[in-house]
Amino acid sequence: MKPIVLRLIAFFVLTSAFAFNAAIAHGKNVAGPNGGRLITAVSPHAEFFVTAERKVQITFVGEDGKALAPAGQIVVVTAGERTAPTKLTFKEVGGVLLSDQTLPEGKNFPAVVQIKATPEAKAIAARFNVNLSICSGCSKAEYACTCGH
Ligand SMILES: [Zn+2]
């Protein structure tokens, strides 16, 4: 075969393998230290966790999986139906960021988590459904499900 054909085949094998890996990564979540959902698009990673009071707690997590104190990150969560979303702002409380407001009513609604490393930095957004039903596979809330059930 001509080298160009071989290169093309190698390219398609690589890209399909990459797409396959990406699909797996989307199906399963990584557990955070409190059993919440780990947002891995930011560094350090941030755990999104819903407290018993329906507030959102953001814990930054180091490479070793241990909690890190916030370092000036700005977090804004927009949750609920697009027509009447609830905006949550955060304050540092005991080494984590805790929302000033509570999540909207309901057990399943869309949310956008925007995280800025510094006030001047570009926000990185994570979008997912906050589904508070308990997964039958891993016994975590569906938004933090780690079994892909
Ligand atoms: Zn599960």
Side-chain angles (χ1 to χ4, degrees), residues 90-103:
F90 290 79
K91 246 192 221 73
E92 189 176 340
V93 180
V96 301
L97 295 181
L98 190 68
S99 67
D100 297 313
Q101 303 82 3
T102 53
L103 285 167

Side-chain angles (χ1 to χ4, degrees), residues 55-67:
K55 287 190 171 189
V56 174
Q57 176 184 300
I58 301 285
T59 307
F60 293 99
V61 182
E63 293 293 332
D64 58 0
K66 294 207 176 91

Side-chain angles (χ1 to χ4, degrees), residues 15-29:
T15 48
S16 55
F18 180 76
F20 186 61
N21 279 336
I24 289 176
H26 277 266
K28 261 190 181 179
N29 298 316

Side-chain angles (χ1 to χ4, degrees), residues 28-147:
K28 261 190 181 179
N29 298 316
V30 182
N34 303 295
R37 180 193 185 98
L38 205 62
I39 298 170
T40 54
V42 290
S43 183
H45 296 167
E47 180 196 40
F48 176 99
F49 176 74
V50 180
T51 69
E53 297 79 37
R54 294 181 71 87
K55 287 190 171 189
V56 174
Q57 176 184 300
I58 301 285
T59 307
F60 293 99
V61 182
E63 293 293 332
D64 58 0
K66 294 207 176 91
L68 288 175
Q73 293 96 332
I74 310 285
V75 178
V76 174
V77 172
T78 310
E81 299 311 322
R82 255 168 263 260
T83 46
T86 302
K87 188 180 166 187
L88 279 65
T89 54
F90 290 79
K91 246 192 221 73
E92 189 176 340
V93 180
V96 301
L97 295 181
L98 190 68
S99 67
D100 297 313
Q101 303 82 3
T102 53
L103 285 167
E105 296 288 310
K107 290 204 90 173
N108 191 7
F109 45 83
V112 181
V113 181
Q114 287 175 293
I115 302 174
K116 283 188 191 186
T118 63
E120 297 79 31
K122 198 169 178 285
I124 292 171
R127 292 175 171 81
F128 53 90
N129 266 7
V130 179
N131 185 342
L132 299 169
S133 308
I134 300 300
C135 172
S136 58
C138 63
S139 300
K140 289 174 189 281
E142 288 284 0
Y143 78 88
C145 167
T146 50
C147 70

